[in-house]
Amino acid sequence: MLDINDSAPTLDYEDPISSDPRTFAAKVNSWVPHDIVLKDAWFPLAHSFAVEAKPVRRAVYSQPYFLWRENGLAVASEFHPAEGLQGAKTAFSDAAGRYPVIEKYGYVWGWFGNPANAAPEHVPSIPYLPEDGGLPLHMLGTVRFDCCAPLSLENLIDLTHADFLHADVVGDEKMDKETVEVFHDSETITMVRTCVNKSVAPVMKLFGGVKADVQQVRQVIRIYLRSHAAIAYGRFSPGDNVQLFHPCVPETRDRTRLDYAMNTSNVKKSNPFRYVMPKASYKVSRQDSSMTSPQSPRYMHSEPRKDLHSPLDEAGQKYRVLMLALAERQARGDFAYRDNVSTDCSEIIGYQK
């Protein structure tokens, strides 16, 4: 297994996490996620099956993306094809109003930023999704959050929240031992949580055939900062692996679209868990939304009140600082990638093929 502490690459820029504690704390408490708009990134705009000859509309920060297929190939445009070019186009598309587009992992990805900088190597690595897609529809779904995308992801990267907010699905906080590790580079942040003798998740007891009272659990959340996309990978023994792609596409600054994919192909076809677990996302998302939706307006403006944090908030705090650092760097005109997000991250997340 990869030694997490040795996994971070050598950075060729000043790491914002290494700043002195007072500066770090000031950045954490200056968090206004609605003001963060990161460019030069691929966004998974739609499941591939949703893009056909008839155009569908998506948006990134209110920038319209019309998606359809021409001769079987996905295309994206700033304008509906029946309308043609309407007025002045933006700097996000070419002279014909088209956006760079790529199809991978069962998604149509659209480029948000300078078209000249679009490159396949900036598509995040998702090792447990087939590159050519093809997952059955019961493993795919769409939910929405009435909050900004960064706030939704900050909530997600705190894996311990699931024991309290989603206890009826993934199990409560009872266990013998817990360790949490956090590591990052300039484009990603990863939290790894290891639990010894944790209470078995109810969904695995009811539908997964797990008879034991406790499990050995290793959970990973890895966030690709620019794409606002997360991969969630859990290993449960006894039990089955949970393989979730959790993209938070910012349709507006306070509205997030999540076209998720949960690959349960590793689970036996005779096991109901294969079909039930992906649909649990609808219940879990409502629980998340009940927390993040009322929080979102409170973070629209900076204020002197400080956020309160526990020792388990390390990942969320570092996520804030990394996002702010990227935003500040882009404000200076620097949109370069310091690290390669498409490098296979199987070893980093502990994915067992």
Side-chain angles (χ1 to χ4, degrees):
M1 183 182 298
L2 183 71
D3 184 346
I4 297 296
N5 294 321
D6 294 336
S7 64
T10 301
L11 302 176
D12 60 350
Y13 76 114
E14 184 178 354
D15 184 0
I17 302 298
S18 63
S19 59
D20 68 82
R22 285 183 297 181
T23 300
F24 181 88
K27 291 179 179 178
V28 169
N29 284 293
S30 66
W31 178 242
V32 183
H34 299 75
D35 290 347
I36 295 178
V37 178
L38 298 180
K39 301 175 184 177
D40 280 15
W42 292 106
F43 284 94
L45 298 177
H47 291 116
S48 291
F49 76 83
V51 180
E52 299 178 328
K54 183 179 179 179
V56 295
R57 189 184 189 279
R58 296 291 188 268
V60 179
Y61 291 116
S62 299
Q63 178 73 19
Y65 285 72
F66 289 95
L67 309 173
W68 70 94
R69 292 188 184 275
E70 294 180 353
N71 299 318
L73 296 179
V75 296
S77 175
E78 189 173 348
F79 307 101
H80 192 286
E83 299 174 351
L85 292 175
Q86 299 291 320
K89 75 177 190 62
T90 67
F92 296 101
S93 57
D94 63 18
R98 296 285 181 96
Y99 298 105
V101 67
I102 194 168
E103 195 160 3
K104 192 173 184 179
Y105 300 126
Y107 288 84
V108 175
W109 301 69
W111 181 258
F112 181 76
N114 185 346
N117 296 335
E121 60 266 25
H122 299 327
V123 176
S125 168
I126 315 171
Y128 46 72
L129 293 187
E131 288 197 13
D132 57 355
L135 289 181
L137 293 183
H138 71 264
M139 297 182 187
L140 311 174
T142 300
V143 297
R144 294 174 177 83
F145 298 108
D146 290 319
C147 75
C148 62
L151 192 60
S152 180
L153 287 166
E154 183 190 10
N155 169 70
L156 179 68
I157 201 171
D158 174 16
L159 285 164
T160 62
H161 87 278
D163 296 350
F164 305 94
L165 191 56
H166 313 307
D168 57 346
V169 178
V170 300
D172 56 33
E173 76 283 7
K174 297 176 183 177
M175 68 192 81
D176 290 345
K177 184 181 179 181
E178 174 186 35
T179 58
V180 172
E181 300 170 283
V182 181
F183 63 105
H184 70 281
D185 59 26
S186 67
E187 299 289 341
T188 68
I189 183 166
T190 305
M191 178 178 183
V192 181
R193 183 192 190 200
T194 305
C195 305
V196 177
N197 295 334
K198 190 179 189 298
S199 299
V200 174
V203 70
M204 290 189 176
K205 269 189 173 292
L206 291 172
F207 303 105
V210 176
K211 305 299 183 183
D213 293 325
V214 296
Q215 294 172 306
Q216 312 314 311
V217 179
R218 185 178 187 272
Q219 300 169 306
V220 182
I221 295 288
R222 179 173 174 83
I223 295 178
Y224 294 97
L225 302 175
R226 295 200 201 200
S227 294
H228 295 69
I231 55 177
Y233 180 66
R235 295 207 309 256
F236 299 82
S237 180
D240 293 291
N241 296 348
V242 175
Q243 305 173 154
L244 172 66
F245 179 48
H246 188 287
C248 290
V249 176
E251 291 188 315
T252 68
R253 294 194 181 192
D254 58 3
R255 177 79 167 171
T256 299
R257 181 187 181 96
L258 198 166
D259 289 318
Y260 71 83
M262 184 175 290
N263 187 355
T264 54
S265 300
N266 58 298
V267 182
K268 292 181 180 179
K269 290 185 178 180
S270 59
N271 190 337
F273 185 78
R274 178 185 177 105
Y275 308 96
V276 172
M277 189 59 191
K279 300 309 175 188
S281 294
Y282 289 102
K283 181 173 186 177
V284 168
S285 66
R286 287 197 297 270
Q287 293 169 335
D288 281 329
S289 189
S290 70
M291 299 297 293
T292 57
S293 293
Q295 287 179 12
S296 192
R298 300 170 189 166
Y299 284 97
M300 285 185 173
H301 307 285
S302 60
E303 57 177 72
R305 290 190 307 169
K306 293 184 178 180
D307 281 352
L308 300 178
H309 301 283
S310 79
L312 294 177
D313 290 332
E314 177 188 358
Q317 292 181 354
K318 289 183 175 180
Y319 171 72
R320 290 185 177 191
V321 172
L322 288 170
M323 288 289 283
L324 288 169
L326 260 178
E328 290 167 0
R329 185 152 60 85
Q330 291 197 354
R332 297 193 299 269
D334 181 1
F335 297 91
Y337 279 73
R338 297 293 199 275
D339 294 279
N340 187 355
V341 296
S342 67
T343 300
D344 186 357
C345 66
S346 295
E347 188 177 6
I348 294 174
I349 68 172
Y351 173 53
Q352 298 176 336
K353 298 182 180 180

